[in-house]
Amino acid sequence: MKKKHLDDDLTNLDKQNLRSRIIDSANQVKAKKRKNRILMVAASVVILVGISLFYQPKSEQAIESFVKTSTDIDVNKVDGVTLILGSGDNLNLDGENTTVKYSKSGEEVVLGSGKTVNQKSTKNEKALYNTILVPFGKRTDLKLSDGSMVWLNSGSKLVYPAVFNGNSREVYLEGEAIFEVSHNPQKPFKVLSANQEVEVLGTVFNVSSYKDDDLSFTVLKSGSVKINYSDKAVKGIKIKPGTFASYNAVSKEAKTKEVNINDYFSWRDGFLNFKKDNLKHIMTKLSRYYNVQIVIESEDLAAQTFSGNLDLKENVTKVIQLIGETSNFEFSSDNEKITIINSN
């Protein structure tokens, strides 16, 4: 007897329906396998992300946070130029030569006397911060690990990493300094202070931001800098060489003007240039430079303006005497204070 095939009893419609069910079933199986594979991959990604987050080194502590937590580091509490290493060790730089130079790794520090000090530049993959304090009456200069040069004026503090191992180079300034920044477009150089942030790639400029001054300013000698202010209501600016950019913390105003840049860089060479500056402003600078208290008894006299060039290699009484020759004031001095009075 001839065997009967299933196909013999199926109509064309039955065959078509059966074929559709077989295809749908196969597709469902494939979809389920694909979904399981996706879930497995997703789980693997989650695990990997969790592992990377767990083992990823913590980001470097912001330099502003370090400054805020180091309130005991006060420039007015040291007798001479003082370098504080990341370990907390204090190094006093005695003598005329107080220069500080860092190696590229930041682990070797050469002091002005020629002495070399070794330190760790990082801890747990985070850069360690160094601080240099320059009290009133002193000045110094240092070469950072990236080759940038900094000249610090009297009454200034600079906080900086021993080595710049991140995507930017950031230092924090309290006081006044001249910067000659080593060019590196891949690592912008930023000078942070209480009221402003100055960002550069490679240039020469002067920044002044003293605690007891209402006015913070930046003077650009060469290159280009961008200034952002902590007051977000004041728009950031980009200045060109020969420009004086200031911010007044009281009036909340930012201004720019063209100036003779030598007036703001001459202190590095031991001179003070001033043009139509009031006597109070001039005496404030001299007080910091020579570390002596100077009192002007008359407000009218304090508001008088003067122009000239002073050789700061002379002693302070000689310098004040030279200013007095162009005006009508006299002064008396003792070991701790100089008092300026009208001669009339």
Side-chain angles (χ1 to χ4, degrees):
M1 181 177 176
K2 186 177 180 182
K3 290 185 180 179
K4 217 174 168 185
H5 292 283
L6 180 62
D7 287 349
D8 296 339
D9 294 332
L10 294 177
T11 66
N12 290 334
L13 180 60
D14 291 333
K15 293 178 181 179
Q16 185 175 350
N17 290 335
L18 179 60
R19 187 179 298 108
S20 297
R21 287 198 299 272
I22 293 171
I23 293 173
D24 288 344
S25 178
N27 287 339
Q28 288 177 12
V29 172
K30 290 180 180 179
K32 187 175 182 179
K33 289 182 178 180
R34 185 164 56 250
K35 182 178 180 180
N36 289 337
R37 283 198 300 270
I38 291 173
L39 289 173
M40 291 177 64
V41 171
S44 300
V45 170
V46 170
I47 292 171
L48 290 173
V49 170
I51 293 173
S52 66
L53 289 174
F54 182 79
Y55 287 105
Q56 186 176 0
K58 295 180 180 179
S59 59
E60 290 187 9
Q61 181 185 14
I63 195 167
E64 297 99 326
S65 298
F66 177 83
V67 172
K68 289 178 181 178
T69 57
S70 305
T71 53
D72 57 327
I73 302 177
D74 190 341
V75 68
N76 297 314
K77 294 181 179 178
V78 295
D79 295 327
V81 177
T82 302
L83 175 64
I84 304 175
L85 301 178
S87 61
D89 294 334
N90 289 16
L91 304 176
N92 295 318
L93 283 69
D94 299 322
E96 292 296 323
N97 188 353
T98 58
T99 298
V100 178
K101 296 181 180 179
Y102 285 78
S103 64
K104 290 183 178 180
S105 67
E107 296 181 349
E108 292 185 356
V109 187
V110 180
L111 308 181
S113 60
K115 178 182 177 181
T116 299
V117 177
N118 294 310
Q119 68 166 344
K120 290 184 177 180
S121 60
T122 60
K123 183 179 180 180
N124 297 329
E125 299 184 5
K126 295 191 298 184
L128 291 175
Y129 291 111
N130 286 191
T131 302
I132 190 163
L133 306 171
V134 185
F136 293 119
K138 302 290 184 178
R139 283 146 300 283
T140 195
D141 58 89
L142 68 152
K143 183 178 182 181
L144 300 175
S145 61
D146 68 332
S148 295
M149 289 295 303
V150 186
W151 290 263
L152 285 161
N153 206 349
S154 304
S156 299
K157 175 173 75 174
L158 187 72
V159 180
Y160 51 95
V163 62
F164 298 104
N165 58 1
N167 295 325
S168 65
R169 297 171 288 170
E170 293 185 350
V171 302
Y172 190 95
L173 173 68
E174 181 182 300
E176 184 174 17
I178 293 171
F179 294 86
E180 187 174 317
V181 177
S182 177
H183 185 71
N184 186 346
Q186 282 72 44
K187 281 190 178 185
F189 193 100
K190 297 180 180 179
V191 180
L192 310 180
S193 58
N195 294 313
Q196 65 182 21
E197 173 189 297
V198 182
E199 180 178 347
V200 303
L201 294 177
T203 187
V204 180
F205 59 101
N206 180 79
V207 176
S208 178
S209 182
Y210 284 98
K211 270 187 176 181
D212 54 352
D213 280 354
D214 295 332
L215 198 72
S216 300
F217 66 80
T218 302
V219 180
L220 181 62
K221 184 175 183 180
S222 63
S224 176
V225 302
K226 181 181 180 181
I227 305 172
N228 292 312
Y229 298 101
S230 55
D231 184 352
K232 300 305 178 185
V234 179
K235 187 178 179 181
I237 57 172
K238 189 174 181 180
I239 62 175
K240 62 181 182 180
T243 302
F244 173 100
S246 64
Y247 173 77
N248 191 306
V250 176
S251 65
K252 308 296 183 183
E253 291 181 316
K255 297 181 179 179
T256 61
K257 63 180 180 180
E258 292 186 2
V259 294
N260 180 351
I261 58 174
N262 293 327
D263 295 344
Y264 300 90
F265 288 80
S266 59
W267 62 260
R268 178 175 56 179
D269 302 315
F271 295 93
L272 177 61
N273 298 337
F274 49 95
K275 184 177 181 181
K276 294 182 179 180
D277 291 321
N278 63 53
L279 189 62
K280 180 181 179 180
H281 173 77
I282 296 170
M283 291 304 160
T284 298
K285 284 187 169 292
L286 293 180
S287 175
R288 290 168 177 162
Y289 199 91
Y290 289 101
N291 191 26
V292 61
Q293 183 183 8
I294 303 176
V295 177
I296 306 173
E297 291 196 338
S298 167
E299 291 185 4
D300 291 338
L301 181 59
Q304 287 188 22
T305 59
F306 297 84
S307 298
N309 179 285
L310 297 175
D311 186 349
L312 299 177
K313 298 180 184 69
E314 301 281 359
N315 62 57
V316 64
T317 54
K318 177 65 175 178
V319 171
I320 293 178
Q321 183 181 347
L322 290 172
I323 301 173
E325 291 175 356
T326 65
S327 183
N328 58 343
F329 72 76
E330 296 177 350
F331 67 95
S332 61
S333 65
D334 55 36
N335 292 331
E336 297 181 354
K337 184 172 71 172
I338 294 176
T339 304
I340 298 175
I341 58 176
N342 279 312
S343 59
N344 295 334

